[in-house]
Amino acid sequence: MKICTTKTRLTEEEALQLASRDNSGLIGTFFNKLGHVPKEVSVLQIRKFYYPYYLEAAEAKLLRAAGLPTRRVVYTVAMEGGCGTVQQMKGRPATSYEEVDPSAVVVCKIDKAGADANVAKFIKRRAYKIFHQYPQVSTLEAYVVYKPHYACLCQKGERRFFRILDAEIKDRNFMLDIKFRELTFMDKDAANDRIDPALFFPENSPAADEL
């Protein structure tokens, strides 16, 4: 299938290196200085996938007193297609159309109407903080773009877990670390085969919600 996607800036080799790094935090650093040897993080499998975002440009209209012209402010925002989180953007990402395997594409769970509603709520709250009034919001432009990510199935000691890396900005996506097992792919059966269930759920392992 052909999708609109942002640029992949992280190679698979770089993703493997990034996923295997572990931030011990202050307590871990203290114990490391005492001679404690931390357990290594190993990457068992790595797969590339594409996560949907709505990119929207919307206009906020704010009425003004004494016959002054209506104030108009244009916001450009991105909303995650999986959970609906909205963030304001500066500029627009470079995109291109690519042919990809449907089994690597995450289903966008929020439709256009839901995206418009979430974006309008975000803009109204944002505008109220600045102008102390709620604006009328209208969508100027909206489209879905897919950001490339790497899903890394990792192991540290006896524990297995996912680390998700944003291949555009070359950094961890901590929200998707938690939400990855809840995602649905376009070709569900094929997507399930991409991460070996025998590795993720070995015999006598804890249940999925305990990992």
Side-chain angles (χ1 to χ4, degrees):
M1 65 180 293
K2 182 175 285 190
I3 61 172
C4 179
T5 178
T6 57
K7 188 173 182 179
T8 298
R9 305 179 190 277
L10 186 70
T11 66
E12 185 171 305
E13 182 178 350
E14 291 171 331
L16 288 169
Q17 295 176 357
L18 184 57
S20 62
R21 294 178 192 165
D22 211 9
N23 183 0
S24 301
L26 292 176
I27 296 177
T29 301
F30 172 75
F31 281 107
N32 291 346
K33 289 182 178 180
L34 295 179
H36 171 73
V37 179
K39 295 177 180 178
E40 293 185 356
V41 175
S42 57
V43 180
L44 305 178
Q45 287 195 40
I46 183 170
R47 294 290 185 272
K48 190 176 183 180
F49 71 98
Y50 297 85
Y51 186 74
Y53 286 80
Y54 279 95
L55 301 187
E56 291 203 17
E59 183 181 65
K61 296 180 181 179
L62 298 115
L63 300 178
R64 303 171 73 186
L68 294 173
T70 299
R71 179 182 280 115
R72 300 171 186 269
V73 182
V74 175
Y75 291 84
T76 304
V77 300
M79 191 206 77
E80 294 185 37
C83 61
T85 302
V86 183
Q87 297 180 7
Q88 191 167 352
M89 296 173 53
K90 290 184 179 180
R92 299 189 182 190
T95 60
S96 62
Y97 283 90
E98 294 183 15
E99 286 285 348
V100 301
D101 189 327
S103 66
V105 180
V106 175
V107 173
C108 191
K109 294 184 178 180
I110 300 175
D111 61 15
K112 175 64 166 52
D116 289 345
N118 282 358
V119 167
K121 288 179 184 178
F122 174 85
I123 291 175
K124 287 178 180 179
R125 289 196 298 266
R126 199 74 171 224
Y128 186 83
K129 290 180 180 179
I130 300 172
F131 304 107
H132 305 294
Q133 70 176 108
Y134 290 108
Q136 296 178 345
V137 178
S138 57
T139 302
L140 301 177
E141 182 183 12
Y143 59 97
V144 177
V145 63
Y146 292 84
K147 289 190 71 172
H149 287 73
Y150 288 103
C152 299
L153 177 59
C154 302
Q155 181 164 337
K156 183 177 182 180
E158 298 300 319
R159 189 168 68 94
R160 287 175 177 171
F161 52 91
F162 280 113
R163 282 185 174 169
I164 309 303
L165 308 176
D166 187 321
E168 181 193 13
I169 64 173
K170 304 175 74 170
D171 203 357
R172 293 271 301 275
N173 187 323
F174 293 97
M175 186 276 294
L176 286 184
D177 281 356
I178 301 169
K179 297 288 187 179
F180 182 73
R181 288 192 298 274
E182 300 175 13
L183 301 182
T184 303
F185 290 81
M186 293 287 188
D187 187 341
K188 184 177 179 181
D189 292 335
N192 286 341
D193 291 338
R194 294 175 67 82
I195 299 294
D196 185 354
L199 277 174
F200 192 45
F201 299 118
E203 286 188 37
N204 303 319
S205 68
D209 58 356
E210 295 175 343
L211 286 172

